[in-house]
Amino acid sequence: MIKPLKHVKGDLVQPVINKMTKFTNPIIEADYSDPDLIKCGDYYLLVSSSFNYVPALPILITKDLVHYRFLSYALEKLPNFYNEVREGNGVWAPSFAFHNNTYYLLIPFPDKGIFVLENKDPLHQKWTNFRPLFLKKGIEDPTVIWVNNQAYLIFGFVKSRIGFNSKLGIIKVNEDLTDTLQNDYEILIDGTNKYPTIEGPKIYNINNLFHIFAPANGVKHGYQLDLISENIYGPYKGKIILKENGNGINGPHQGGLVHLQDDDFAFIHFSEDDYLGRNLYLERCILDKDNFFTINNNNGPIYKGEINTKEDDSFLLEYKDDFNKNHLSNLWQFPANILNDFYKPSIDGLTLIANKLTNTLEKFPYILTTKFPFIKFEAELIVNLQLENFSTFSFLIIGEKYPYLSIYKENDNYSLYFNNLKEEQKILLSKKDFSSIKFKMSYTNKGQVSFNTSLVNNTFTCFVKKQMWIGLRLGITIYSKEDNSKSKVILKEFKMRKIK
């Protein structure tokens, strides 16, 4: 029998297994970079990077590791450093932990260090007590383990901040994760020659052996390692347990391991799509006779398989919003902290109030955004628009650049603008009543996008790519050239659906 994971995976209460659950990869097509998982009662929780987007730290819940629904965001606001848009910064590769009946979230900010949240009951309560644990610029990807109640924090390094990478560090911290117990870290593993760009560690204690799961050789064409040792400080023996096999799934990168039952485990990791971002893949794994993990019988990442859980397909990720609640749906995030009353939810719609645009849209925090959900999909938005002069409403895509379909008012005249990243097209509008306007966007894979609106019969097309390591997003915003504009848009209905 496999002894339970002793640190980060909760109480490991196992559900009764009635049958295998079939799955098709990617299990989630949307951008959930750097996933980690933890067992919580009869459920599993999954968290991922949220970078500069707010609210931060999206947490999904599942019973079978295949079907998910949204549970909550763990952090409503980022530190004040993120009151302005800092593309690609923010939360990088958080991880779960469990000790003494408390769940922890370790939260790395590459420019600040490692922070912590905690929760006694993450299924029903909010995460609290946000605090720094190890303030050090240039560290990322934290994982923690307790050995006889002594906690050890292990992490990677960000070359752009600290001058090097390809190493893993370790530092002792106190049991309740409130402070470090050493002046500085030690190098635990130097992968410079053997495991270049090693990062994203997750540490587990199984059968009295320490296992560090870690990707190396970069995101695009990297591989997954299992490093094992009898001692927390090593030495560690390493083995590549997951790598590309020519089937089109590139560079299986970092993720999280969960114990199912007996000698059966599951590993969820991301693989990067050039456009959509980092989508999630599920792999089945077991321990071999040498105490290393074997994934898919060493055949590499797979598209279809079965997992030893009881299927529950009632869990679904929702991709629609009727804007009929007094709070913002979990579907939405902003590219920075929102410092004023930009949005006002009500049972009659979500109202967005125009702010003055003083820079470019890329630096504008007042954009309502949501992730592209599928490899191919359609999105539809219905709004009531009230524009003053010198104001703009935009339905846009957030990526490497920001193509948009916009309505602009000047001197009581209205114009429709489409920016396809090469040129801007303008159409004068005779319509003066802008209630129940429909906008539509279709994404048909490999960056191909088309826009439509009920205002004209034209179809507008462009080609988009993701922004650095963040997947493509839809955006909705309203802004003005002037201060104190009374322009506003009331969002009435939004939905996204998968297409073939």
Side-chain angles (χ1 to χ4, degrees), residues 27-32 60 68 316-321 329 331-332 370-374 377-380 494-498:
I27 53 170
I28 297 179
E29 295 176 24
D31 182 40
Y32 283 91
L60 308 183
Y68 293 80
L316 294 173
L317 290 169
E318 292 283 343
Y319 295 114
K320 64 178 183 178
D321 193 347
S329 161
L331 195 61
W332 306 105
T370 189
K371 300 176 182 183
F372 274 31
F374 304 114
F377 74 100
E378 288 181 344
E380 189 175 286
F494 177 80
K495 56 187 176 183
M496 297 184 287
R497 67 177 186 91
K498 194 170 186 174

Side-chain angles (χ1 to χ4, degrees), residues 138 168 189 245 248 325 376 398:
L168 301 181
I189 294 172
N245 63 2
K325 297 180 177 61
K376 295 182 180 182
I398 296 174

Side-chain angles (χ1 to χ4, degrees), residues 338-343 353 355 366:
I338 296 300
L339 304 179
N340 63 21
D341 295 328
F342 166 58
Y343 67 97
I353 309 297
N355 280 261
Y366 301 102

Side-chain angles (χ1 to χ4, degrees), residues 114 134 136 138-143 153-157 167-171 185-186 199-201:
I114 309 300
F134 182 29
K136 183 82 173 181
I139 59 176
E140 63 173 350
D141 304 343
T143 184
L153 179 69
I154 297 171
F155 46 86
F157 296 92
K167 300 177 182 180
L168 301 181
I170 186 170
I171 190 170
Y185 62 85
E186 303 171 54
E199 57 183 335

Side-chain angles (χ1 to χ4, degrees), residues 21-81:
T21 301
K22 294 181 179 181
F23 64 88
T24 299
N25 278 324
I27 53 170
I28 297 179
E29 295 176 24
D31 182 40
Y32 283 91
S33 183
D34 314 310
D36 193 32
L37 298 101
I38 194 167
K39 191 75 170 60
C40 185
D42 290 333
Y43 302 91
Y44 301 93
L45 304 182
L46 183 148
V47 70
S48 72
S49 296
S50 48
F51 303 110
N52 54 292
Y53 283 87
V54 181
L57 293 159
I59 296 178
L60 308 183
I61 184 171
T62 178
K63 276 193 170 182
D64 60 15
L65 299 177
V66 177
H67 304 91
Y68 293 80
R69 72 168 182 257
F70 201 97
L71 179 64
S72 65
Y73 289 104
L75 195 59
E76 288 297 316
K77 182 178 180 291
L78 291 176
N80 290 340
F81 184 69

